[in-house]
Amino acid sequence: MSGNQAEEQLSEVEQKYRTLVEQIPGVIYISPINTTAKVAYISPQLQQLLGIAPEDWNPGFLNSWSDYTHPDDRDRLWQAVNTTIATGEPLSVEYRMIRGDGKTIWVRNQANLVLCADGQTQLLQGLVFDISELKQAEAVLQESEARSRAILEDQTELIARGLPDGTVTFVNEAFCRFFGLKREEIIAQHYEPVVFEEDRERVFSLVNSISLENPVISIENRAIACEGVRWTQWIIRGIFDDEGTIVELQSVGRDITHHKRVEQALSENEQKFRAIFNQTIQFMGLLQPNGIVLEANQTALDFAGINREEVVGKPFWEAKWWTISLNTQEQLKTAIAAAANGESIRYEVDLLGRDHQAITIDFSLRPILDETGRINLLISEGRDITEYQTALHERHKAEEGLRSSQDFLQKVANTVPHILYLFDLLQGTSVYLNEKSVTILGYSPEEFCHADPQWLINCFHPDDQYLCYNLPSRFVNLSDNEVLSTEYRFRHKNGEWRWLNTREVVFARDPNGTPTQILGSVEDISTRKQAEGMLRQQAEGERLITEVTQQIRQSLNLEEVLNTTVNSIRQCLGSDSVAIYQLESDGSGNLAAASVGDGYPQRLEQTMHPFSIEQDFSHYYQGLPTVLHDIQESDFSADVFELLQLYQVKAAMVVPILNGEHLWGLLIVHQCGAPRYWQAFEVNLLQQLASQVAIAIHQSVLYQQVQAANKELHRLATLDGLTQIANRRRFDQYLEAEWQRLKREQLSLSLILFDVDFFKLYNDTYGHLAGDDCLRQLASALKNIVKRPADLVARYGGEEFAVILPNTEIQGASYVAQTIRQIVRDLAIPHTQSRVCDRVTVSLGVVSIVPNCEISPPDLINAADKALYLAKQQGRDRVHAVCVVIPS
């Protein structure tokens, strides 16, 4: 192999390593640790990681690196570095760093301790890469790319147009600035002078090669710029006319001098980068897009226990890295295919290592693009994260156990019927409460824990606030497990005072044994305290309530119930007056009952009562009373206060009377001689009696509703549904009743029975709906004829009707019957199939009798039926009257 071939091959290999090193996602560094020689190296990625240019970096790497390390993490970093120096073990440490722009990021530093060729100098060779949140890194990268794009587009792009012969026709300002020429010095001139002499022939040849088949070319050449000779890259596009003749050249160029210098620097340091590549802790490899391995670093080879020849030149999934299953092979093939299509792949895979132990590899693949955007290489990266995964699993397991334990304790705490709390004596506030604080006192645990100590003191009753002063002293002499029990009053969130019983023990002490935290439970004993006070007053109250309740329940007369109530209350309480004021739906009201003592100055016969003038009755709807010990201390409006003075009221109690959710009225007790402090049992007594009044009101309303319902049911039971006149049942009842009455009085009783002539033919002709309508018209006509209160019109059955006429003899009954016959004819209801007339007609039978013991109502009905039969026999549409005479 000739020297040139060897150099070309070496250059090709170095180019691969250089490409690989440039793609490593982190800062590669070499730092001497036992000499001051300036043999340090740091890769250009420093600019991306910390925002600092490599040329501005202090050669004393570790000292300079420490300056950018977060102050809280410097000691830990140095301790890890010193451990690596002392033991020779690889360095692997995670810590925070502060970028040049002040932003804090997390990095991972992985390095090895190596010796230089002199055998004396120790070097720390390693890789530092950003492990901040992916989204934050993406955002920073996007901003960086946007800034870079803006710089390239606005400042470095050189744009020019010219003729095919090389004459320049247009240049932009960036072109002028770059070459240090004025626009008039360039326009209409050939571009040859700005091209470096040694590159002119190549440039002219490439430009002349532009054709329809090859319309765009890319050239890298040196140019004579204002700053001297610079490397430039040009994209030149030919513009053609309709005949395919080139008419113009358009060029876009940029300064790539820095890029060329970097390439030169990378070439000079290729051997150094190769060493770094092989010494990095990551498993790294370079692949062709089809998965053939081009290179693998020494770390990967050593970890797998194989040599380079066993890997290079073979498909990645067939190399004997570790024990790889068929499923894993397919997974690798799929990942490589996806990376070859431009995707970045990362996943975790479980394998069997050389010792047949399961290991977990964090594996990634990224595509590498050439200058034309084509994917020509794939870079693979792997890390053994077995220990990390194991630790993470154990951590998650421990966290889950802790959460389960905390959830269990929280559920237990929330199921107990008392408030549980932890109070910090040093801070003077609670640090924990269970959710019972809401149920018992109305305050959430957060309101207590975030409360100001003075607010907590103000929640205690003024007579009990001494318990809050010098609080730690109450527990100084309290031994462990000894319980301190205290009863006191505390303001509920709704403003009420609640009696509480607290049982407290010392939960934590400082090193001197002084209590610092108290664990306590709080029980609401308000009910018990109220019961104790009420027991002494219960007998009289129960006696009165029993008496009034009995009187209320013995009567359905609401007026009587209300009067009994006000009289009993006034006598029991010894008040000047008791009144029940009923409220109307429109806001007005009236006095429903009153009991006034002797000498009471005013009568309660006003349209409006002072306590009904309030606009907001919300507390009354909630069943809450108004208790005024001294009206001089109230905040009533001027109108209400004036009325109270008119009544000379000095104190009062007002209790709402609620009928369900409806505010029916107010039960009001007045004291006129002097202010009076009403006792709790008196308020309670009044509320209970108001409840009994509400029951009485409800009973009275129900009684009235039942009466009305019975009346309506009776009406419906005796009414014919079709014609809305009396039905057969009502006819039988009324006939029996009038028979008995007239039998006693020996007065005449007449009965008319009639039906529609040929009604079956009417239904067959016009249909049953028309037949129903015909019967309704007849019934309506009957009600207009028979109007005496004692007379009854009834539907006897089918198309047959009956009329009961008490106190009516045969002549009067016959007249009524003739009137009915004529009125029906006058209705002019068509009946084409009738054999009597072309309209609807009726036949009527009339009987009259003075009831006696010899015959019965059915006999009267039979006689009327016979008379109707004779009317039909005589030709229909007529009246046949019979006066029934009882033989002596």
Side-chain angles (χ1 to χ4, degrees):
M1 179 184 296
S2 66
N4 290 336
Q5 291 176 335
E7 288 180 0
E8 291 178 359
Q9 186 173 1
L10 177 61
S11 176
E12 182 180 351
V13 173
E14 289 177 348
Q15 178 64 30
K16 294 177 181 177
Y17 277 103
R18 182 166 59 253
T19 301
L20 178 62
V21 170
E22 287 179 354
Q23 297 300 324
I24 292 176
V27 175
I28 300 171
Y29 67 88
I30 302 174
S31 178
I33 59 176
N34 58 355
T35 179
T36 59
K38 295 184 179 180
V39 294
Y41 166 78
I42 192 161
S43 66
Q45 280 82 348
L46 179 67
Q47 178 74 36
Q48 181 179 354
L49 184 69
L50 294 179
I52 303 167
E55 56 267 22
D56 297 333
W57 189 256
N58 189 331
F61 173 80
L62 294 178
N63 291 331
S64 183
W65 193 263
S66 178
D67 292 340
Y68 288 90
T69 301
H70 196 283
D72 294 342
D73 295 344
R74 287 173 185 166
D75 291 343
R76 182 161 56 83
L77 171 60
W78 278 108
Q79 183 179 357
V81 172
N82 290 332
T83 299
T84 297
I85 295 172
T87 63
E89 295 179 355
L91 172 68
S92 180
V93 60
E94 295 179 358
Y95 51 92
R96 289 167 290 178
M97 297 195 74
I98 301 175
R99 288 172 47 92
D101 57 5
K103 180 181 178 182
T104 299
I105 64 173
W106 275 93
V107 300
R108 177 176 293 162
N109 191 342
Q110 295 177 326
N112 286 317
L113 192 66
V114 298
L115 291 176
C116 288
D118 60 11
Q120 298 297 324
T121 303
Q122 285 184 309
L123 297 176
L124 199 61
Q125 294 183 347
L127 173 66
V128 179
F129 52 94
D130 190 351
I131 60 170
S132 300
E133 290 294 331
L134 179 59
K135 291 299 183 180
Q136 295 176 351
E138 289 177 352
V140 171
L141 182 58
Q142 290 171 359
E143 292 175 2
S144 176
E145 289 176 350
R147 288 195 298 270
S148 298
R149 187 182 306 111
I151 292 172
L152 291 173
E153 292 176 353
D154 297 340
Q155 299 182 18
T156 64
E157 288 191 351
L158 316 175
I159 302 174
R161 292 201 304 268
L163 301 176
D165 62 2
T167 303
V168 179
T169 60
F170 169 83
V171 293
N172 66 349
E173 286 295 327
F175 190 102
C176 296
R177 289 195 302 269
F178 180 78
F179 289 101
L181 298 172
K182 296 182 180 179
R183 193 183 303 272
E184 55 269 24
E185 295 174 339
I186 306 171
I187 300 300
Q189 302 297 322
H190 198 281
Y191 66 85
E192 178 182 358
V194 300
V195 181
F196 191 73
E197 185 176 358
E198 295 180 6
D199 294 343
R200 288 174 183 172
E201 183 177 350
R202 180 172 58 87
V203 170
F204 295 161
S205 175
L206 287 172
V207 170
N208 292 332
S209 69
I210 296 176
S211 63
L212 281 174
E213 292 74 24
N214 184 33
V216 180
I217 64 170
S218 177
I219 304 175
E220 289 185 5
N221 64 276
R222 288 164 289 182
I224 303 172
C226 63
E227 297 179 0
V229 178
R230 307 286 292 181
W231 274 97
T232 57
Q233 182 187 61
W234 297 88
I235 305 297
I236 303 175
R237 179 183 298 275
I239 306 300
F240 302 89
D241 60 16
D242 294 339
E243 297 177 359
T245 302
I246 186 168
V247 295
E248 188 179 40
L249 297 174
Q250 292 186 354
S251 304
V252 178
R254 62 189 182 97
D255 186 355
I256 60 171
T257 305
H258 177 71
H259 176 69
K260 287 294 185 179
R261 289 174 179 172
V262 170
E263 286 183 351
Q264 183 178 359
L266 286 174
S267 177
E268 294 172 354
N269 292 282
E270 186 66 35
Q271 188 64 35
K272 185 188 302 181
F273 293 151
R274 186 181 298 112
I276 294 170
F277 170 68
N278 286 323
Q279 292 297 329
T280 182
I281 297 176
Q282 304 283 96
F283 312 146
M284 303 189 70
L286 201 61
L287 286 66
Q288 293 180 357
N290 60 4
I292 300 300
V293 178
L294 296 175
E295 193 56 76
N297 71 345
Q298 195 62 41
T299 303
L301 298 174
D302 292 343
F303 188 80
I306 55 179
N307 56 44
R308 184 174 180 276
E309 289 70 23
E310 294 180 85
V311 178
V312 175
K314 298 180 180 180
F316 187 84
W317 53 86
E318 292 182 1
K320 303 300 182 182
W321 298 107
W322 302 281
T323 303
I324 300 178
S325 66
L326 293 177
N327 288 338
T328 303
Q329 287 185 357
E330 292 301 321
Q331 191 176 13
L332 286 172
K333 290 179 182 180
T334 302
I336 290 171
N341 285 327
E343 297 183 33
S344 292
I345 306 298
R346 183 176 181 178
Y347 61 88
E348 295 176 2
V349 60
D350 294 327
L351 307 169
L352 289 178
R354 287 178 294 169
D355 55 359
H356 300 289
Q357 297 294 322
I359 58 175
T360 301
I361 302 297
D362 180 10
F363 179 74
S364 64
L365 274 170
R366 288 183 293 116
I368 307 301
L369 308 179
D370 62 13
E371 295 177 352
T372 64
R374 184 174 58 87
I375 298 173
N376 59 356
L377 291 173
L378 304 178
I379 185 170
S380 66
E381 185 180 352
R383 290 185 300 136
D384 180 5
I385 59 171
T386 306
E387 294 183 0
Y388 171 76
Q389 288 291 86
T390 301
L392 185 63
H393 175 73
E394 292 298 325
R395 176 182 173 183
H396 287 169
K397 185 176 180 181
E399 289 176 348
E400 184 62 30
L402 179 60
R403 282 194 295 269
S404 298
S405 176
Q406 290 174 338
D407 290 344
F408 173 74
L409 293 177
Q410 185 65 43
K411 290 177 180 178
V412 171
N414 289 332
T415 54
V416 298
H418 306 151
I419 298 175
L420 296 181
Y421 67 91
L422 191 63
F423 188 85
D424 192 298
L425 293 172
L426 301 180
Q427 299 178 10
T429 58
S430 298
V431 296
Y432 169 78
L433 284 94
N434 64 351
E435 295 179 0
K436 286 298 179 181
S437 63
V438 177
T439 306
I440 295 177
L441 293 175
Y443 300 102
S444 68
E446 292 75 16
E447 289 179 281
F448 273 112
C449 292
H450 299 155
D452 181 78
Q454 186 58 47
W455 173 85
L456 188 63
I457 293 175
N458 293 338
C459 287
F460 280 74
H461 192 278
D463 295 341
D464 299 330
Q465 288 182 1
Y466 71 92
L467 295 170
C468 304
Y469 303 140
N470 196 17
L471 189 62
S473 63
R474 299 180 58 223
F475 302 97
V476 168
N477 299 322
L478 200 67
S479 62
D480 291 342
N481 299 323
E482 182 179 354
V483 179
L484 178 64
S485 182
T486 310
E487 292 184 358
Y488 55 93
R489 284 156 292 182
F490 195 91
R491 183 184 291 108
H492 190 280
K493 192 170 186 177
N494 62 15
E496 297 179 358
W497 291 109
R498 296 290 178 89
W499 274 98
L500 305 178
N501 178 37
T502 296
R503 294 171 58 82
E504 298 169 305
V505 295
V506 176
F507 182 75
R509 301 177 185 270
D510 63 15
N512 298 323
T514 303
T516 58
Q517 288 186 333
I518 301 302
L519 178 63
S521 67
V522 178
E523 178 186 4
D524 186 354
I525 60 171
S526 302
T527 303
R528 191 187 78 193
K529 284 290 186 179
Q530 293 172 358
E532 291 174 356
M534 292 298 295
L535 284 175
R536 296 185 297 270
Q537 306 161 353
Q538 186 175 4
E540 179 62 21
E542 288 183 350
R543 182 197 64 77
L544 176 61
I545 291 172
T546 301
E547 177 182 329
V548 173
T549 300
Q550 289 177 348
Q551 293 177 356
I552 286 175
R553 294 184 176 180
Q554 288 174 356
S555 174
L556 292 174
N557 187 317
L558 183 58
E559 182 180 357
E560 179 183 340
V561 168
L562 298 182
N563 286 325
T564 298
T565 300
V566 295
N567 288 326
S568 300
I569 293 174
R570 190 177 68 82
Q571 292 175 7
C572 176
L573 299 182
S575 57
D576 292 327
S577 73
V578 178
I580 293 177
Y581 193 79
Q582 183 178 359
L583 296 173
E584 302 296 339
S585 59
D586 61 357
S588 63
N590 61 279
L591 188 69
S595 177
V596 182
D598 296 337
Y600 186 70
Q602 294 289 334
R603 299 182 61 192
L604 292 174
E605 295 180 352
Q606 305 296 323
T607 302
M608 296 296 293
H609 193 279
F611 292 104
S612 70
I613 298 178
E614 296 184 44
Q615 297 300 318
D616 184 9
F617 276 17
S618 59
H619 64 294
Y620 287 148
Y621 278 103
Q622 298 174 22
L624 301 177
T626 297
V627 180
L628 299 173
H629 308 296
D630 186 349
I631 67 165
Q632 296 295 332
E633 299 176 355
S634 66
D635 56 353
F636 286 120
S637 65
D639 293 340
V640 175
F641 198 82
E642 181 180 350
L643 280 174
L644 290 172
Q645 287 184 319
L646 177 64
Y647 291 125
Q648 298 182 15
V649 173
K650 300 297 189 298
M653 284 193 297
V654 184
V655 173
I657 301 173
L658 295 171
N659 185 13
E661 296 182 355
H662 170 64
L663 181 61
W664 185 89
L666 304 174
L667 175 55
I668 308 170
V669 178
H670 297 107
Q671 197 71 24
C672 300
R676 174 173 175 174
Y677 186 84
W678 303 100
Q679 300 296 318
F681 89 95
E682 296 174 321
V683 179
N684 183 61
L685 172 66
L686 207 62
Q687 288 179 309
Q688 293 188 55
L689 290 174
S691 298
Q692 294 300 322
V693 171
I695 293 173
I697 293 169
H698 186 64
Q699 289 177 340
S700 177
V701 171
L702 288 178
Y703 177 74
Q704 294 174 5
Q705 291 175 345
V706 168
Q707 290 293 93
N710 287 338
K711 184 176 181 180
E712 178 63 15
L713 287 173
H714 179 72
R715 187 185 72 84
L716 293 175
T718 58
L719 199 66
D720 178 61
L722 176 65
T723 61
Q724 297 300 303
I725 60 177
N727 59 12
R728 175 66 179 271
R729 179 180 180 182
R730 175 60 177 157
F731 170 83
D732 292 339
Q733 291 175 346
Y734 192 71
L735 180 60
E736 177 68 27
E738 289 302 300
W739 181 274
Q740 298 299 332
R741 180 179 70 82
L742 295 174
K743 184 174 69 173
R744 290 192 301 273
E745 297 176 3
Q746 283 298 290
L747 296 174
S748 296
L749 173 64
S750 296
L751 175 63
I752 303 174
L753 280 181
F754 68 93
D755 63 9
V756 180
D757 295 327
F758 303 109
F759 190 68
K760 183 179 183 304
L761 293 177
Y762 185 90
N763 278 339
D764 292 344
T765 303
Y766 301 101
H768 289 280
L769 292 180
D772 290 346
D773 186 62
C774 174
L775 297 178
R776 280 192 290 268
Q777 292 186 61
L778 267 59
S780 177
L782 284 173
K783 288 190 288 185
N784 292 329
I785 298 172
V786 182
K787 296 182 178 180
R788 292 191 313 173
D791 298 341
L792 178 70
V793 177
R795 184 183 179 191
Y796 191 72
E799 72 276 19
E800 194 169 6
F801 294 86
V803 180
I804 299 175
L805 301 171
N807 301 323
T808 304
E809 296 181 350
I810 189 67
Q811 294 85 355
S814 297
Y815 175 80
V816 172
Q818 289 291 354
T819 303
I820 291 172
R821 186 187 71 82
Q822 187 60 44
I823 288 296
V824 171
R825 288 181 62 88
D826 292 344
L827 290 176
I829 301 172
H831 189 356
T832 58
Q833 298 301 316
S834 174
R835 298 172 184 172
V836 179
C837 184
D838 61 354
R839 64 183 66 180
V840 170
T841 58
V842 293
S843 300
L844 303 94
V846 182
V847 294
S848 181
I849 192 173
V850 176
N852 55 70
C853 297
E854 300 297 327
I855 61 175
S856 64
D859 296 329
L860 182 63
I861 294 173
N862 288 333
D865 191 53
K866 290 179 181 179
L868 173 59
Y869 178 76
L870 290 174
K872 291 180 179 181
Q873 271 193 335
Q874 294 168 4
R876 301 179 186 267
D877 187 21
R878 63 189 64 240
V879 176
H880 186 83
V882 177
C883 183
V884 179
V885 179
I886 304 300
S888 57

